[in-house]
Amino acid sequence: MHDDLIARAQAWLAEDPDPETRDELAGLIDAADVDELAARFSGTLQFGTAGLRGELGAGPMRMNRTVVIRAAAGLAAYLKKNGHEGGLVVIGYDARHKSEDFARDTAAVMTGAGLRAAVLPRPLPTPVLAYAIRHLGAVAGVEVTASHNPPRDNGYKVYLGDGSQIVPPADVDIAQEIAAIPSLTVVPRPTEGWDTLDDSVLDAYLARTDAVLGPDTPRTARTVYTAMHGVGKDVLLAAFERAGFPAPALVTEQADPDPDFPTVAFPNPEEPGAMDLAFAKARETDPDLVIANDPDADRCAVAVKDGEDWRMLRGDEVGALLAAHLVARGAQGTFAESIVSSSLLGRIAQKANLPYEETLTGFKWIARVDGLRYGYEEALGYCVDPEGVRDKDGITAALLITELASVLKAEGRTLLDLLDDLAVEHGLHATDQLSVRVQDLTVIANAMRRLREQPPTALAGLPITRAEDLTRGTDTLPPTDGLRYTLEGARVIVRPSGTEPKLKCYLEVVVPVSAHADLPAARAKATELLATIKQDLSAAAGI
């Protein structure tokens, strides 16, 4: 086993085009570090509907140039088999370690395979790449990003020509093509022949951002903005300036791209502490709202002053606010969300006589809904201009929520006032999440098995009226690894994360409210119910 492992590592080393990972791997081989080599050569990073995502480093279980070149070659083979010989592939990248290298390698592989390749001019938000695919008539797009993962990670996201991320069976077909590549020696990689785009694509994207706003709405809301060390700042500032909003006050420590994300443990606005600097800036400048993008700017977080201090709105709260704003503006078309998001959207759509659909988790599904006008997911993802960007877009979402805050400000009201109105109209929909990050993935598998073998009959004293194993699929959903429990006045979904080593449990309770005066009591009841459901679910899952 030991000799075989060393032999595999040496074979990999012989092909590796990157001096950094070559040195790293040579050091492990020289030191005969069997444990570390085994971790890196225990398999290969699996290409799935999220593309690839993993820790940077040498070997097939890490993100590196060898893995990316193979992935690009597999994608190229898949495109050619599907009649796209000579088609255009557009490539974007964020500001993480190695992102530009991975983008350039992808362009070289596509060019060598007889496809045309075009690379965005510099690190830009993921939604700009999603927009560019449709704008340029590309047959596919690649975004090199690990979104809001830790600094040591990178990733590879694949879109097809409709501008939305891949879904089955494309992921399996591409994975088979990747697996069929015997070695890097058979992958032609010219040193030139692709295009580096100028700013015209970005300008066209920015011109479209104006279209998400109403023609004569107030533009007075003042914001604090953090780019979370990512690539959002310049594009968001340009979009705000075009729209005529006051220039956001920047969280300067986090304004510019930095692949080491020095001020945050995890560069995700949802993680504890990530918004601390933004809140400090808000206490200084007293804006109407705080806006944060994640590092590739496809997500948008919103915080408001609640009493004496600032709090982040949940993704479900922002999702409902944007929906109510679009309804008030007379939007037509289908409103859609993933099954783990709040059922409040369905009630808003129903009252407005708009079609409504639930999908599996992920914008790859939401973006495919027929006649989509608005889609959102509780993990801070909002699609407010589906004709332009068939994916979540943290720039246009920021514009729309700032417009709504401006409209309310003109009426002497706030986002929290509108949330109160929605609670009185549709019931208080309170959501929470039980999210367990693990080192050992068997913890997740064991929890799922335990829940399947010994399903709970009640949570927080509420009987479970329906228990669904989503691996079997439903009338409206394809199969996925998840469990859904419907309770009297509550709903729980349990699923492994698709992009991180986490077990995620999504909880929602609905408490009827007859008048604004009843809201404090309803909130207290909802908080207590959510806390008890969390405890009971933890016990049932053994986590």
Side-chain angles (χ1 to χ4, degrees):
M1 171 61 197
H2 173 249
D3 291 347
D4 172 54
L5 187 59
I6 296 286
R8 275 187 293 149
Q10 282 169 333
W12 183 276
L13 180 65
E15 277 192 5
D16 190 340
D18 187 336
E20 276 185 51
T21 42
R22 283 176 61 83
D23 289 351
E24 183 188 328
L25 186 54
L28 293 173
I29 294 169
D30 290 346
D33 189 337
V34 176
D35 291 347
E36 188 60 31
L37 287 169
R40 290 157 184 255
F41 286 85
S42 59
T44 53
L45 273 188
Q46 290 305 298
F47 186 92
T49 52
L52 293 165
R53 207 179 278 189
E55 192 175 335
L56 290 162
M61 287 298 285
R62 298 284 185 266
M63 281 297 294
N64 50 62
R65 290 182 59 197
T66 305
V67 164
V68 164
I69 289 164
R70 284 175 168 273
L75 174 60
Y78 167 84
L79 291 171
K80 287 160 74 173
K81 271 193 184 169
N82 283 275
H84 297 305
E85 183 82 47
L88 174 68
V89 179
V90 60
I91 302 150
Y93 58 100
D94 68 11
R96 283 177 179 265
H97 293 296
K98 299 281 183 191
S99 287
E100 190 172 355
D101 294 347
F102 295 166
R104 192 175 53 247
D105 282 331
T106 302
V109 171
M110 295 302 160
T111 305
L115 292 146
R116 290 179 298 125
V119 185
L120 292 180
R122 57 185 171 281
L124 286 166
T126 294
V128 176
L129 180 274
Y131 169 78
I133 295 164
R134 289 160 63 89
H135 178 67
L136 297 172
V139 298
V142 171
E143 176 71 19
V144 181
T145 180
S147 189
H148 55 274
N149 274 38
R152 63 178 183 274
D153 289 4
N154 213 329
Y156 198 81
K157 216 174 186 176
V158 176
Y159 297 75
L160 292 180
D162 62 356
S164 51
Q165 296 172 50
I166 52 168
V167 293
D171 57 335
V172 177
D173 295 345
I174 295 168
Q176 284 172 345
E177 298 293 346
I178 296 169
I181 293 156
S183 85
L184 291 201
T185 54
V186 303
V187 181
R189 284 184 292 136
T191 55
E192 57 186 18
W194 58 89
D195 287 330
T196 300
L197 297 167
D198 60 18
D199 275 356
S200 57
V201 169
L202 177 60
D203 293 341
Y205 166 82
L206 283 168
R208 261 206 86 89
T209 61
D210 305 351
V212 304
L213 303 174
D216 307 307
T217 48
R219 309 278 164 95
T220 55
R222 291 169 51 253
T223 54
V224 158
Y225 172 70
T226 175
M228 206 67 62
H229 299 297
V231 299
K233 179 192 73 173
D234 292 348
V235 178
L236 182 126
L237 290 181
F240 269 56
E241 187 178 355
R242 288 180 68 103
F245 288 115
L250 297 179
V251 179
T252 48
E253 301 94 327
Q254 300 174 335
D256 295 317
D258 186 332
D260 294 319
F261 305 104
T263 67
V264 288
F266 287 93
N268 176 356
E270 292 180 293
E271 293 280 351
M275 296 289 284
D276 288 357
L277 288 170
F279 291 163
K281 186 75 175 177
R283 289 180 202 113
E284 263 173 54
T285 57
D286 198 30
D288 298 297
L289 68 167
V290 174
I291 288 173
N293 286 139
D294 67 338
D296 69 327
D298 62 351
R299 295 168 198 244
C300 175
V302 180
V304 293
K305 197 165 190 182
D306 190 358
E308 286 306 298
D309 209 357
W310 289 83
R311 82 164 170 98
M312 204 161 104
L313 295 178
R314 291 191 164 276
D316 284 317
E317 292 176 308
V318 177
L321 288 168
L322 291 175
H325 183 42
L326 289 168
V327 166
R329 280 194 10 205
Q332 292 297 308
T334 304
F335 279 28
E337 65 181 340
S338 62
I339 55 171
V340 299
S341 305
S342 169
S343 58
L344 177 55
L345 184 69
R347 304 216 181 171
I348 291 170
Q350 184 182 14
K351 180 137 192 203
N353 290 317
L354 292 173
Y356 163 76
E357 270 193 50
E358 271 191 326
T359 73
L360 291 185
T361 312
F363 263 82
K364 54 184 177 277
W365 299 107
I366 295 170
R368 285 185 156 70
V369 167
D370 278 347
L372 181 69
R373 174 58 187 88
Y374 169 62
Y376 98 90
E377 184 154 83
E378 53 68 50
L380 312 183
Y382 314 94
C383 173
V384 301
D385 176 25
E387 285 308 301
V389 176
R390 288 224 172 147
D391 199 2
K392 53 189 179 289
D393 182 345
I395 305 293
T396 47
L399 286 170
L400 199 62
I401 198 75
T402 308
E403 176 185 57
L404 172 57
S406 300
V407 169
L408 292 165
K409 187 177 181 178
E411 299 166 359
R413 285 155 41 83
T414 68
L415 296 173
L416 291 179
D417 293 326
L418 180 52
L419 283 172
D420 286 352
D421 293 351
L422 291 171
V424 173
E425 191 174 355
H426 302 287
L428 176 70
H429 289 61
T431 55
D432 201 358
Q433 201 183 107
L434 171 63
S435 182
V436 184
R437 187 181 288 273
V438 299
Q439 294 294 318
D440 177 2
L441 289 175
T442 59
V443 174
I444 294 176
N446 290 340
M448 294 298 286
R449 189 176 68 243
R450 180 168 166 159
L451 288 170
R452 286 190 169 105
E453 289 172 1
Q454 303 166 323
T457 53
L459 294 167
L462 303 173
I464 291 176
T465 55
R466 188 156 150 226
E468 298 165 279
D469 187 340
L470 299 177
T471 46
R472 302 190 180 106
T474 72
D475 296 346
T476 53
L477 298 170
T480 186
D481 186 8
L483 299 163
R484 177 163 63 180
Y485 303 117
T486 307
L487 300 87
E488 288 176 17
R491 183 211 66 197
V492 173
I493 292 172
V494 184
R495 60 178 280 274
S497 167
T499 54
E500 296 176 276
K502 279 183 175 180
L503 181 68
K504 290 188 161 183
C505 312
Y506 303 84
L507 326 174
E508 178 176 47
V509 298
V510 184
V511 181
V513 184
S514 48
H516 280 77
D518 302 329
L519 277 168
R523 285 212 172 85
K525 181 179 179 184
T527 302
E528 186 187 343
L529 273 174
L530 286 168
T532 315
I533 290 173
K534 222 184 242 194
Q535 285 171 351
D536 293 356
L537 186 63
S538 292
I543 49 177

